[in-house]
Amino acid sequence: MPGFEEVGMLNAMAWALACFGVVAADIALSVVLFSVLDAVSVLTGYPIDNLDIQWFQAAAQTASFLMALLWWRYLWPRSFMARRQGERPLGGGASAAWKHIVCVVVIGLSMQVVISYLCDGVLSLLPEVAADYSELVEETGMGDTSLLAVLTTVLGAPFCEELLVRGIIFEFSLRAFNPQCRSLWKRRRRANAQDGAIVPWAAPSTWGVAAAIVLQAAVFGFMHMNWVQGCYAGAAALIFGWVLVTTGKLRYTILLHFAFNAGSYLMGLLWFVGTPLDVVVTVGIAGFVLVEAMRSLLRLRIPVSREADRSE
C-alpha cells in the first residue's frame, strides 16, 4: 500500500497534468476552429489569407471563452471558490465594493508600469532576444492598435483567460496541493454551490494555496508560448492568484486583468520618462503604489474574515 506522502505526490502530479491538459484542450479547440475556417475557405473559394489575423484571434478567443464558461459552470459547485464564498462572503455593501474595485484597478495599472519597465530593462541587456520578440510582435499583430485588437486584448482576454486560468486551472492547482480537501471535489455531481458548506473537509493549507498560486502562474506563462511574454505574464499571474485568494471572487481578477491590459495602452502617457533615472523613480513610485494597494485590499478583507470566524 502506498504511503501518505506517496499518495500526496501522485495527487499533485495528476492534477498538475490536468492543468496542462486544460491548455492542451484550449490549443486543440483553436486547431479545430482553424481547420473549420480553412475548410470553409476551400468551399467558398475565399482565400483565408485575406482575413485579418485579429479576426482569427477573436474567433479563437470566443471559442475558448465558451469552452471555459461551460467547464467552469460544471466545476463551480464543487470548487474551492464556491466553498470559500459560502463560508466567507465578501460583504460590506456597495461602499466596500467600490473600495475593492479601486484597489484592484490601481493594482493592475501600477503592476503594468512596474512589469513593463522591468521587462524593457531586461530586454535592453539581451538584444538578440529583444529582436526576436519584436519580430514576433510584428508577425502576430500583438502591437496592433486597431479597435478589434484593443477589444480582444482589453475585454476579450480578461474574460477568456480568467475563466480558463484563475477558474479551471487554479481550481486544479488547489486540488493538486490540498489532497485533504478531496471530499469537496469528490461529492455528488448534482449539487448547489451553497451545499458545499455542509461537505466535511479540511481547510486548504497555507503552503498548499501558495503552491497553487505558483503553479497556475507557471501554466499561465507557458500558455503565452514565448519567453518574454511568458515571464511577465507568469509574474503578473502571481498577483492575479493572490487577488483571487484575497477576494474570493473571480470578477475581481477579471477586472484586474482588464486594468493590467488596458495599462499597456496607457503607457504612452508616461512620455516624460526618458532617462534611466526617470525609469528607476517611476518604477519605485509604481512599486510603492502597488504594495499599498495590495495592503489596502488585504485590510478590506480582514474584518470580514474575522466576523465570519466569530459566526462559525
Side-chain angles (χ1 to χ4, degrees), residues 124-195:
S124 67
L125 302 175
L126 304 170
E128 292 185 2
V129 176
D132 291 341
Y133 181 63
S134 297
E135 183 178 351
L136 177 66
V137 169
E138 184 176 350
E139 290 177 353
T140 59
M142 286 190 291
D144 194 351
T145 56
S146 65
L147 178 60
L148 182 59
V150 173
L151 288 177
T152 55
T153 300
V154 177
L155 292 179
F159 282 96
C160 174
E161 294 178 359
E162 290 309 305
L163 275 174
L164 199 66
V165 182
R166 254 61 65 182
I168 301 167
I169 291 176
F170 188 57
E171 172 65 22
F172 289 174
S173 298
L174 285 166
R175 294 180 182 187
F177 299 107
N178 294 281
Q180 73 276 16
C181 303
R182 187 179 180 86
S183 59
L184 176 63
W185 70 75
K186 282 296 183 182
R187 68 195 180 95
R188 66 187 186 279
R189 291 187 177 184
R190 297 184 180 277
N192 296 320
Q194 292 81 358
D195 295 337

Coordinates of all heavy atoms in Angstrom, one line a residue, residues 124-195:
S124 N 16.8 45.2 -22.9 CA 17.9 46.1 -23.3 C 19.3 45.4 -23.1 O 20.3 45.8 -23.8 CB 17.9 47.4 -22.5 OG 18.2 47.3 -21.2
L125 N 19.3 44.5 -22.2 CA 20.6 43.7 -21.9 C 20.7 42.5 -22.8 O 21.7 41.8 -22.8 CB 20.6 43.3 -20.4 CG 20.6 44.4 -19.4 CD1 20.5 43.9 -18.0 CD2 21.7 45.4 -19.6
L126 N 19.6 42.1 -23.5 CA 19.5 40.9 -24.3 C 19.1 41.3 -25.7 O 17.9 41.1 -26.1 CB 18.6 39.9 -23.7 CG 18.9 39.4 -22.3 CD1 17.8 38.6 -21.7 CD2 20.2 38.6 -22.3
P127 N 19.9 42.0 -26.5 CA 19.5 42.5 -27.8 C 18.9 41.4 -28.8 O 18.0 41.7 -29.5 CB 20.8 43.1 -28.4 CG 21.9 42.5 -27.6 CD 21.3 42.2 -26.2
E128 N 19.5 40.2 -28.8 CA 19.0 39.2 -29.7 C 17.6 38.8 -29.3 O 16.7 38.6 -30.1 CB 20.0 38.0 -29.6 CG 21.3 38.3 -30.2 CD 22.2 37.0 -30.3 OE1 21.7 35.9 -29.9 OE2 23.3 37.1 -30.7
V129 N 17.4 38.6 -28.0 CA 16.0 38.2 -27.5 C 15.0 39.4 -27.9 O 13.9 39.1 -28.3 CB 16.0 38.0 -26.0 CG1 14.6 37.7 -25.5 CG2 17.0 36.8 -25.7
A130 N 15.5 40.6 -27.7 CA 14.6 41.8 -28.0 C 14.3 41.8 -29.5 O 13.1 42.1 -29.8 CB 15.3 43.0 -27.6
A131 N 15.2 41.5 -30.3 CA 15.0 41.5 -31.8 C 14.0 40.4 -32.2 O 13.1 40.6 -33.0 CB 16.3 41.3 -32.5
D132 N 14.2 39.2 -31.6 CA 13.3 38.1 -31.9 C 11.8 38.4 -31.4 O 10.9 38.1 -32.1 CB 13.8 36.8 -31.2 CG 15.0 36.3 -31.8 OD1 15.3 36.7 -32.9 OD2 15.7 35.5 -31.1
Y133 N 11.8 39.1 -30.2 CA 10.4 39.4 -29.7 C 9.8 40.5 -30.5 O 8.6 40.4 -30.8 CB 10.6 39.9 -28.2 CG 9.3 40.2 -27.6 CD1 8.3 39.2 -27.4 CD2 9.0 41.5 -27.2 CE1 7.0 39.6 -26.8 CE2 7.8 41.8 -26.6 CZ 6.8 40.9 -26.4 OH 5.6 41.2 -25.9
S134 N 10.5 41.4 -31.0 CA 10.0 42.5 -31.9 C 9.4 41.9 -33.2 O 8.4 42.3 -33.7 CB 11.0 43.5 -32.2 OG 11.5 44.2 -31.0
E135 N 10.1 40.9 -33.7 CA 9.7 40.2 -34.9 C 8.4 39.5 -34.6 O 7.5 39.5 -35.5 CB 10.8 39.3 -35.4 CG 10.4 38.6 -36.7 CD 11.6 37.7 -37.2 OE1 12.7 37.7 -36.6 OE2 11.3 36.9 -38.2
L136 N 8.3 38.8 -33.5 CA 7.1 38.1 -33.1 C 5.9 39.0 -33.0 O 4.8 38.7 -33.4 CB 7.4 37.3 -31.8 CG 6.2 36.5 -31.2 CD1 5.8 35.4 -32.2 CD2 6.5 36.0 -29.8
V137 N 6.1 40.1 -32.3 CA 5.1 41.1 -32.2 C 4.5 41.6 -33.5 O 3.3 41.7 -33.7 CB 5.6 42.3 -31.3 CG1 4.6 43.5 -31.4 CG2 5.9 41.9 -29.9
E138 N 5.4 41.8 -34.5 CA 5.0 42.3 -35.8 C 4.3 41.2 -36.5 O 3.3 41.5 -37.2 CB 6.3 42.7 -36.6 CG 5.9 43.3 -37.9 CD 7.2 43.8 -38.7 OE1 8.3 43.9 -38.0 OE2 7.1 44.2 -39.8
E139 N 4.8 39.9 -36.4 CA 4.1 38.8 -37.2 C 2.8 38.5 -36.7 O 1.9 38.2 -37.4 CB 5.0 37.6 -37.1 CG 6.3 37.7 -37.9 CD 7.2 36.5 -37.8 OE1 6.9 35.6 -37.0 OE2 8.2 36.4 -38.5
T140 N 2.6 38.5 -35.4 CA 1.3 38.1 -34.7 C 0.3 39.3 -34.5 O -0.8 39.0 -34.1 CB 1.6 37.5 -33.4 OG1 2.3 38.4 -32.5 CG2 2.4 36.2 -33.5
G141 N 0.8 40.5 -34.8 CA -0.1 41.6 -34.7 C -0.4 42.0 -33.2 O -1.3 42.7 -32.9
M142 N 0.5 41.6 -32.3 CA 0.4 42.0 -30.9 C 0.5 43.5 -30.7 O -0.1 44.0 -29.7 CB 1.4 41.2 -30.0 CG 1.1 39.8 -29.9 SD 2.1 39.0 -28.6 CE 3.7 39.0 -29.4
G143 N 1.2 44.2 -31.5 CA 1.3 45.6 -31.4 C 0.2 46.4 -32.1 O 0.3 47.6 -32.1
D144 N -0.7 45.7 -32.6 CA -1.8 46.4 -33.4 C -2.7 47.2 -32.4 O -3.0 46.8 -31.3 CB -2.7 45.3 -34.1 CG -3.6 45.9 -35.1 OD1 -3.7 47.1 -35.2 OD2 -4.2 45.1 -35.9
T145 N -3.0 48.4 -32.9 CA -3.9 49.3 -32.1 C -5.2 49.5 -32.7 O -5.9 50.5 -32.4 CB -3.2 50.6 -31.8 OG1 -2.9 51.2 -33.1 CG2 -1.9 50.5 -31.0
S146 N -5.6 48.6 -33.6 CA -7.0 48.7 -34.2 C -8.0 48.4 -33.2 O -7.7 47.9 -32.1 CB -7.1 47.7 -35.4 OG -7.0 46.4 -34.9
L147 N -9.2 48.8 -33.5 CA -10.3 48.7 -32.5 C -10.5 47.2 -32.1 O -10.7 46.9 -30.9 CB -11.6 49.2 -33.1 CG -12.9 49.1 -32.2 CD1 -12.7 49.8 -30.9 CD2 -14.1 49.6 -32.9
L148 N -10.5 46.3 -33.1 CA -10.7 44.9 -32.8 C -9.5 44.3 -31.9 O -9.8 43.6 -31.0 CB -10.7 44.1 -34.1 CG -11.0 42.6 -33.9 CD1 -12.3 42.3 -33.2 CD2 -11.0 41.9 -35.3
A149 N -8.3 44.8 -32.2 CA -7.2 44.3 -31.4 C -7.3 44.8 -29.9 O -7.0 44.1 -29.0 CB -5.9 44.8 -32.0
V150 N -7.7 46.1 -29.8 CA -7.9 46.6 -28.4 C -9.0 45.9 -27.7 O -8.9 45.5 -26.5 CB -8.2 48.1 -28.5 CG1 -8.5 48.7 -27.1 CG2 -7.0 48.9 -29.1
L151 N -10.1 45.6 -28.4 CA -11.2 44.9 -27.7 C -10.8 43.5 -27.3 O -11.2 43.0 -26.2 CB -12.4 44.8 -28.7 CG -13.1 46.1 -28.9 CD1 -14.2 46.0 -30.0 CD2 -13.7 46.7 -27.6
T152 N -10.1 42.8 -28.2 CA -9.7 41.4 -27.8 C -8.7 41.4 -26.7 O -8.7 40.5 -25.8 CB -9.1 40.6 -29.0 OG1 -8.0 41.4 -29.5 CG2 -10.2 40.4 -30.1
T153 N -7.9 42.4 -26.6 CA -6.8 42.5 -25.6 C -7.4 43.0 -24.2 O -7.1 42.4 -23.2 CB -5.7 43.4 -26.0 OG1 -5.1 42.9 -27.2 CG2 -4.6 43.5 -24.9
V154 N -8.2 44.0 -24.3 CA -8.6 44.7 -23.1 C -9.9 44.0 -22.5 O -10.1 43.9 -21.3 CB -8.9 46.2 -23.3 CG1 -9.4 46.8 -22.1 CG2 -7.6 46.8 -23.7
L155 N -10.8 43.5 -23.4 CA -12.1 43.0 -22.9 C -12.1 41.4 -23.1 O -12.4 40.7 -22.2 CB -13.2 43.6 -23.7 CG -13.5 45.0 -23.4 CD1 -14.7 45.5 -24.2 CD2 -13.9 45.2 -21.9
G156 N -11.7 41.0 -24.3 CA -11.8 39.5 -24.5 C -10.9 38.7 -23.7 O -11.3 37.7 -23.0
A157 N -9.6 39.1 -23.6 CA -8.6 38.3 -22.9 C -8.9 38.2 -21.4 O -8.8 37.1 -20.8 CB -7.2 38.9 -23.1
P158 N -9.3 39.2 -20.7 CA -9.6 39.1 -19.3 C -10.7 38.1 -19.0 O -10.6 37.3 -18.1 CB -10.1 40.5 -18.9 CG -9.3 41.4 -19.8 CD -9.3 40.7 -21.1
F159 N -11.8 38.1 -19.8 CA -12.9 37.2 -19.5 C -12.5 35.7 -19.9 O -12.7 34.8 -19.1 CB -14.1 37.6 -20.3 CG -14.9 38.7 -19.8 CD1 -14.7 40.0 -20.2 CD2 -15.9 38.4 -18.8 CE1 -15.5 41.0 -19.6 CE2 -16.6 39.5 -18.2 CZ -16.4 40.8 -18.6
C160 N -11.9 35.6 -21.0 CA -11.5 34.3 -21.5 C -10.4 33.6 -20.6 O -10.5 32.5 -20.1 CB -11.0 34.3 -22.9 SG -10.3 32.8 -23.6
E161 N -9.3 34.4 -20.4 CA -8.2 33.8 -19.7 C -8.4 33.7 -18.2 O -7.9 32.7 -17.6 CB -6.9 34.7 -19.9 CG -6.5 34.7 -21.4 CD -5.3 35.6 -21.6 OE1 -4.8 36.2 -20.7 OE2 -4.8 35.6 -22.8
E162 N -9.3 34.5 -17.6 CA -9.5 34.4 -16.2 C -10.4 33.2 -15.9 O -10.2 32.4 -14.9 CB -10.2 35.7 -15.6 CG -9.2 36.8 -15.6 CD -7.9 36.5 -14.9 OE1 -8.0 36.0 -13.7 OE2 -6.9 36.7 -15.5
L163 N -11.4 32.9 -16.8 CA -12.2 31.7 -16.6 C -11.4 30.5 -16.8 O -11.5 29.5 -16.0 CB -13.4 31.7 -17.6 CG -14.6 32.5 -17.3 CD1 -15.6 32.5 -18.5 CD2 -15.3 31.8 -16.1
L164 N -10.5 30.5 -17.8 CA -9.7 29.4 -18.1 C -8.6 29.1 -17.0 O -8.4 28.0 -16.6 CB -9.0 29.5 -19.4 CG -8.5 28.3 -20.1 CD1 -9.7 27.4 -20.5 CD2 -7.7 28.7 -21.4
V165 N -7.9 30.2 -16.6 CA -6.7 30.1 -15.7 C -7.1 30.2 -14.2 O -6.9 29.3 -13.4 CB -5.6 31.0 -16.1 CG1 -4.4 30.9 -15.2 CG2 -5.2 30.9 -17.6
R166 N -7.6 31.4 -13.9 CA -8.0 31.6 -12.5 C -9.2 30.8 -12.1 O -9.5 30.6 -10.9 CB -8.1 33.1 -12.1 CG -7.0 33.7 -11.3 CD -5.7 33.6 -12.1 NE -5.7 34.4 -13.3 CZ -4.6 34.4 -14.1 NH1 -3.6 33.7 -13.9 NH2 -4.7 35.2 -15.2
G167 N -10.0 30.3 -13.1 CA -11.1 29.5 -12.7 C -10.7 28.0 -12.7 O -10.5 27.4 -11.7
I168 N -10.6 27.4 -13.9 CA -10.3 26.0 -14.0 C -9.0 25.6 -13.6 O -8.8 24.7 -12.7 CB -10.6 25.6 -15.5 CG1 -12.0 25.9 -15.9 CG2 -10.3 24.1 -15.7 CD1 -12.2 25.8 -17.4
I169 N -7.9 26.2 -14.1 CA -6.5 25.8 -13.8 C -6.2 26.0 -12.4 O -5.5 25.2 -11.7 CB -5.6 26.5 -14.8 CG1 -5.7 26.0 -16.2 CG2 -4.1 26.3 -14.3 CD1 -4.9 26.6 -17.3
F170 N -6.6 27.2 -11.8 CA -6.4 27.4 -10.4 C -7.1 26.4 -9.5 O -6.6 26.0 -8.5 CB -6.7 28.9 -10.0 CG -6.3 29.2 -8.7 CD1 -5.0 29.2 -8.3 CD2 -7.2 29.7 -7.7 CE1 -4.6 29.5 -7.0 CE2 -6.8 30.1 -6.5 CZ -5.5 30.0 -6.1
E171 N -8.3 26.1 -9.9 CA -9.0 25.0 -9.1 C -8.3 23.7 -9.1 O -8.1 23.1 -8.1 CB -10.4 24.8 -9.8 CG -11.2 23.7 -9.2 CD -11.6 23.8 -7.7 OE1 -11.6 25.0 -7.3 OE2 -11.9 22.8 -7.1
F172 N -7.8 23.3 -10.3 CA -7.0 22.1 -10.4 C -5.7 22.2 -9.6 O -5.2 21.2 -9.0 CB -6.7 21.7 -11.8 CG -7.9 21.3 -12.6 CD1 -7.8 21.0 -14.0 CD2 -9.1 21.0 -12.0 CE1 -8.9 20.6 -14.7 CE2 -10.2 20.6 -12.7 CZ -10.1 20.4 -14.0
S173 N -5.1 23.4 -9.6 CA -3.9 23.6 -8.8 C -4.1 23.5 -7.3 O -3.3 22.9 -6.6 CB -3.3 25.0 -9.1 OG -3.0 25.2 -10.5
L174 N -5.2 24.0 -6.9 CA -5.6 23.9 -5.5 C -5.8 22.4 -5.1 O -5.4 21.9 -4.0 CB -6.8 24.7 -5.1 CG -6.7 26.2 -5.0 CD1 -8.0 26.9 -5.1 CD2 -5.9 26.6 -3.8
R175 N -6.4 21.6 -6.0 CA -6.6 20.2 -5.7 C -5.3 19.5 -5.7 O -5.1 18.5 -5.0 CB -7.5 19.6 -6.8 CG -8.9 20.2 -6.8 CD -9.8 19.5 -7.9 NE -11.1 20.1 -7.9 CZ -12.1 19.7 -8.7 NH1 -11.9 18.6 -9.5 NH2 -13.3 20.2 -8.6
A176 N -4.3 19.9 -6.5 CA -3.0 19.3 -6.6 C -2.3 19.3 -5.2 O -1.6 18.3 -4.8 CB -2.1 19.9 -7.6
F177 N -2.4 20.4 -4.5 CA -1.6 20.6 -3.3 C -2.5 20.5 -2.0 O -2.0 20.8 -0.9 CB -0.9 21.9 -3.3 CG 0.1 22.0 -4.5 CD1 -0.2 22.8 -5.6 CD2 1.3 21.2 -4.5 CE1 0.7 22.8 -6.7 CE2 2.1 21.3 -5.5 CZ 1.9 22.1 -6.6
N178 N -3.7 20.2 -2.1 CA -4.6 20.0 -1.0 C -5.4 18.8 -1.0 O -6.7 18.8 -1.1 CB -5.5 21.3 -0.9 CG -4.8 22.6 -0.6 OD1 -4.4 22.9 0.5 ND2 -4.6 23.3 -1.6
P179 N -4.7 17.6 -1.0 CA -5.5 16.3 -1.1 C -6.4 16.1 0.1 O -7.3 15.3 0.0 CB -4.3 15.3 -1.1 CG -3.2 16.0 -0.4 CD -3.3 17.4 -0.8
Q180 N -6.2 16.8 1.2 CA -7.1 16.7 2.4 C -8.5 17.2 2.1 O -9.4 16.9 2.9 CB -6.5 17.4 3.6 CG -6.5 18.9 3.6 CD -5.3 19.5 2.8 OE1 -4.7 18.8 2.1 NE2 -5.1 20.8 3.0
C181 N -8.6 17.9 1.0 CA -9.9 18.5 0.7 C -10.7 17.7 -0.4 O -11.6 18.1 -1.0 CB -9.8 19.9 0.1 SG -8.9 21.1 1.3
R182 N -10.2 16.4 -0.5 CA -10.7 15.6 -1.6 C -12.2 15.4 -1.5 O -12.9 15.3 -2.5 CB -10.1 14.2 -1.5 CG -10.4 13.2 -2.6 CD -9.6 11.9 -2.4 NE -9.9 11.0 -3.5 CZ -9.2 11.0 -4.6 NH1 -8.3 11.8 -4.9 NH2 -9.5 10.1 -5.6
S183 N -12.8 15.4 -0.3 CA -14.2 15.2 -0.1 C -15.1 16.3 -0.8 O -16.2 16.1 -1.2 CB -14.6 15.2 1.4 OG -14.2 16.4 2.0
L184 N -14.4 17.5 -1.0 CA -15.2 18.6 -1.7 C -15.4 18.3 -3.2 O -16.5 18.4 -3.7 CB -14.4 19.9 -1.5 CG -15.0 21.1 -2.2 CD1 -16.4 21.4 -1.7 CD2 -14.1 22.3 -2.1
W185 N -14.3 18.0 -3.9 CA -14.5 17.8 -5.3 C -14.9 16.4 -5.7 O -15.3 16.1 -6.8 CB -13.2 18.2 -6.1 CG -12.0 17.2 -5.9 CD1 -11.8 16.0 -6.5 CD2 -10.8 17.5 -5.1 NE1 -10.6 15.5 -6.1 CE2 -10.0 16.3 -5.3 CE3 -10.3 18.5 -4.3 CZ2 -8.7 16.2 -4.7 CZ3 -9.1 18.4 -3.8 CH2 -8.3 17.3 -3.9
K186 N -15.0 15.5 -4.7 CA -15.5 14.1 -5.0 C -17.0 14.0 -4.6 O -17.5 12.9 -4.8 CB -14.7 13.1 -4.2 CG -13.3 12.8 -4.8 CD -13.5 12.1 -6.2 CE -12.1 11.8 -6.8 NZ -12.3 11.2 -8.1
R187 N -17.6 15.0 -4.1 CA -19.0 14.8 -3.8 C -19.9 14.7 -5.0 O -19.4 14.9 -6.1 CB -19.5 16.0 -2.9 CG -19.6 17.3 -3.5 CD -19.7 18.4 -2.4 NE -19.8 19.7 -3.0 CZ -20.9 20.4 -3.2 NH1 -22.0 19.8 -3.0 NH2 -20.9 21.6 -3.7
R188 N -21.2 14.5 -4.8 CA -22.1 14.2 -5.9 C -22.1 15.3 -6.9 O -21.9 16.4 -6.6 CB -23.5 13.9 -5.4 CG -24.1 15.2 -4.8 CD -25.5 14.8 -4.1 NE -26.2 16.0 -3.7 CZ -26.0 16.6 -2.5 NH1 -25.0 16.1 -1.7 NH2 -26.7 17.6 -2.2
R189 N -22.3 14.9 -8.2 CA -22.3 15.9 -9.3 C -23.4 16.9 -9.2 O -23.1 18.1 -9.4 CB -22.3 15.2 -10.6 CG -21.1 14.4 -10.9 CD -21.1 13.8 -12.3 NE -19.9 13.1 -12.6 CZ -19.6 12.6 -13.8 NH1 -20.5 12.7 -14.8 NH2 -18.5 11.9 -14.0
R190 N -24.6 16.5 -9.0 CA -25.7 17.4 -9.0 C -25.8 18.0 -7.6 O -26.4 17.4 -6.6 CB -27.0 16.7 -9.3 CG -27.0 16.1 -10.8 CD -28.3 15.5 -11.1 NE -28.3 15.0 -12.5 CZ -28.5 15.7 -13.6 NH1 -28.7 17.0 -13.5 NH2 -28.4 15.2 -14.8
A191 N -25.3 19.2 -7.4 CA -25.4 19.9 -6.1 C -25.3 21.4 -6.4 O -24.8 21.9 -7.4 CB -24.2 19.5 -5.3
N192 N -25.9 22.1 -5.4 CA -25.8 23.6 -5.5 C -24.5 24.0 -4.8 O -24.0 23.4 -3.9 CB -27.0 24.2 -4.7 CG -28.3 23.9 -5.4 OD1 -28.4 23.9 -6.6 ND2 -29.3 23.6 -4.6
A193 N -24.0 25.2 -5.2 CA -22.8 25.7 -4.6 C -22.9 25.9 -3.1 O -22.0 25.7 -2.4 CB -22.4 27.0 -5.3
Q194 N -24.2 26.3 -2.7 CA -24.4 26.6 -1.3 C -24.3 25.3 -0.5 O -24.0 25.4 0.7 CB -25.8 27.2 -1.1 CG -25.9 28.6 -1.7 CD -26.2 28.6 -3.2 OE1 -26.2 27.5 -3.8 NE2 -26.4 29.7 -3.8
D195 N -24.5 24.2 -1.1 CA -24.4 22.9 -0.4 C -22.9 22.6 0.0 O -22.7 21.7 0.9 CB -24.9 21.8 -1.2 CG -26.4 21.9 -1.4 OD1 -27.1 22.6 -0.7 OD2 -26.9 21.3 -2.4

